Amino acid sequence: FGGAKGGVKLNPKAYTSSQLETITRRYTMELCQKNFIGPGLDVPAPDVGTGAREMSWIMDTYRQFNPQDVNAAGCVTGKPISQGGVRGRNEATGLGVYYGVREFLRFPEVQKMTGLTGEIAGKTVIVQGFGNVGYWAAKFFHKNGAKVIGIGEHDVAAYDPRGLDVDAIFKHRAEKGSFRGFGNAEMIEESTKVLERECDILIPAALERQIGLKNVKGIKAKVIGEAANGPITPDAHDYLVSQGTVVIPDLLLNAGGVTVSYFEWLKNLSHVRFGRMSRKWEEAGKSKLLALVEENAGRKLTTKERRAVIHGAEEHELVYSGLEDTMIDACEETRTTAAAKDTDFRTAAFINAIQKISTVTTQSGQMFL
């Protein structure tokens, strides 16, 4: 958030936790000394090989260099809840992927191109990459009725046309260090081959350039949702589009993490948890309305029913709502531009982005030289 991107190139598995902390803090120190980080300047977030732990180290280091900054918690996002993080951030990118694919399946033109119905339930899904993004994307597809038939990791891929239990295979890998030995699933030793298995929806959620000219003709998915950054090469993308495959581009589909990072930043600047000021007031209003309804209906709700009706939104529910609304709007904008310009969804997403930058630049009085 601010325009920059940076990191430390290393294999985190080759270092102890103490060493990683030292490296992370030193990296942050360099950013602080060069004035490259701050809540009103540039705000990093976790990416490959990092998570809430590293973001907490970054924030603590920034605070040591800027003890007077009352908004110091907003210098980085993706933090633990106890350190000013926001509930819902951990699963945000994967949830955004689910929302985006769900919206595209509802578009009549996508249904016509793919022959698929507009419902997630019953669709077959293959996910490449089982890190934070891939796991949560698979989990939300599974939770909403899709059949996750394949999951690929760096060492091996698991495949079962009957469907994989996402939580069970996640637990198995956490305990054994690999998918190997999980139930009756087929193990695909050349893990990238799972991309070429037949499915309705393919979610590359690992690294860049996973689908190129070397394997694109083997891709059988009807819809590809780019959860990773740049998983499809430009030439492969052109081929897929020419074959009628729906490609939902990364700059649109995997924006959930950045979106919720923005919500976390807003929380840090406001110094109050989302829902704290309004939840009980909302519940009180619903309770009064429910009492009037019960009085006129002549029936009292059970305690469980009453609790479900008057429940005020908690932080993660507000975050989910904001993310869903953002993704729905962005998908609709992309669809509209693609239809108006008679182009593919990636080009449409770029057109929208460039037009927004142009509008802001022009209206602010700036001129490109």
Side-chain angles (χ1 to χ4, degrees):
F1 181 44
K5 188 73 171 178
V8 180
K9 186 177 180 180
L10 57 79
N11 177 7
K13 295 179 181 178
Y15 296 83
T16 66
S17 176
S18 178
Q19 289 172 326
L20 288 172
E21 180 176 358
T22 300
I23 293 167
T24 304
R25 288 183 181 277
R26 177 56 190 270
Y27 176 62
T28 308
M29 183 185 77
E30 295 288 344
L31 295 177
C32 290
Q33 289 179 335
K34 293 175 173 61
N35 199 32
F36 285 169
I37 185 174
L41 182 65
D42 198 274
V43 183
D47 209 311
V48 178
T50 63
R53 180 184 66 173
E54 288 77 15
M55 301 307 106
S56 180
W57 293 336
I58 290 174
M59 181 190 68
D60 185 66
T61 306
Y62 176 84
R63 274 182 162 159
Q64 291 177 30
F65 277 85
N66 300 273
Q68 78 290 346
D69 190 347
V70 296
N71 295 318
C75 77
V76 67
T77 61
K79 304 180 295 295
I81 300 301
S82 62
Q83 301 298 314
V86 69
R87 292 161 183 82
R89 174 61 181 87
N90 194 39
E91 63 268 34
T93 308
L95 179 57
V97 168
Y98 166 74
Y99 284 147
V101 173
R102 183 197 69 186
E103 288 308 301
F104 269 82
L105 284 182
R106 291 175 175 175
F107 298 155
E109 61 269 36
V110 170
Q111 295 173 22
K112 183 178 180 180
M113 291 170 65
T114 62
L116 298 175
T117 64
E119 301 296 326
I120 289 289
K123 302 296 185 294
T124 54
V125 179
I126 291 177
V127 178
Q128 184 205 29
F130 209 47
N132 180 269
V133 178
Y135 165 69
W136 283 106
K139 186 177 176 69
F140 283 112
F141 277 111
H142 180 73
K143 179 182 177 182
N144 288 277
K147 187 189 295 185
V148 180
I149 60 174
I151 301 174
E153 260 292 85
H154 64 91
D155 57 335
V156 71
Y159 178 81
D160 190 338
R162 297 167 298 180
L164 298 164
D165 186 319
V166 174
D167 282 330
I169 196 170
F170 180 82
K171 182 179 179 182
H172 177 88
R173 193 191 64 162
E175 294 174 350
K176 307 294 184 181
S178 173
F179 292 153
R180 292 185 177 87
F182 178 74
N184 297 316
E186 174 191 351
M187 294 295 122
I188 304 173
E189 294 298 327
E190 190 178 348
S191 63
T192 56
K193 288 294 184 183
V194 76
L195 295 166
E196 300 177 40
R197 293 296 177 98
E198 192 165 343
C199 64
D200 296 322
I201 301 166
L202 177 61
I203 306 293
L207 299 174
E208 68 279 357
R209 303 180 69 84
Q210 297 300 297
I211 300 175
L213 292 181
K214 61 183 179 181
N215 63 350
V216 68
K217 292 185 178 179
I219 302 299
K220 302 176 183 66
K222 300 178 178 68
V223 175
I224 302 177
E226 292 187 317
N229 289 322
I232 303 175
T233 66
D235 287 339
H237 171 265
D238 292 342
Y239 176 82
L240 289 166
V241 171
S242 72
Q243 298 300 304
T245 305
V246 173
V247 179
I248 310 175
D250 49 4
L251 78 157
L252 167 67
L253 196 65
N254 70 18
V258 177
T259 300
V260 176
S261 275
Y262 174 66
F263 297 160
E264 181 179 329
W265 181 75
L266 291 178
K267 174 186 178 180
N268 295 153
L269 296 189
S270 63
H271 300 275
V272 65
R273 171 167 55 85
F274 292 131
R276 173 62 63 85
M277 303 294 288
S278 60
R279 183 182 171 197
K280 289 303 177 182
W281 179 86
E282 182 183 346
E283 289 183 352
K286 288 181 178 179
S287 185
K288 291 177 182 178
L289 179 60
L290 185 59
L292 291 173
V293 172
E294 286 179 326
E295 183 180 333
N296 286 279
R299 173 182 176 266
K300 292 283 186 180
L301 297 183
T302 65
T303 302
K304 184 177 181 180
E305 290 172 332
R306 172 176 285 273
R307 189 181 300 117
V309 172
I310 69 171
H311 172 74
E314 298 180 22
E315 183 170 73
H316 76 280
E317 293 168 321
L318 291 169
V319 166
Y320 283 10
S321 175
L323 173 58
E324 183 175 14
D325 186 60
T326 301
M327 293 303 298
I328 289 173
D329 285 350
C331 289
E332 182 59 38
E333 287 179 1
T334 305
R335 171 204 188 187
T336 301
T337 300
K341 302 291 186 180
D342 190 24
T343 189
D344 60 89
F345 296 121
R346 187 189 305 281
T347 303
F350 276 122
I351 290 172
N352 286 342
I354 292 169
Q355 284 181 337
K356 289 177 182 179
I357 294 170
S358 174
T359 299
V360 170
T361 303
T362 302
Q363 292 182 351
S364 66
Q366 297 181 42
M367 295 289 290
F368 285 116
L369 299 178

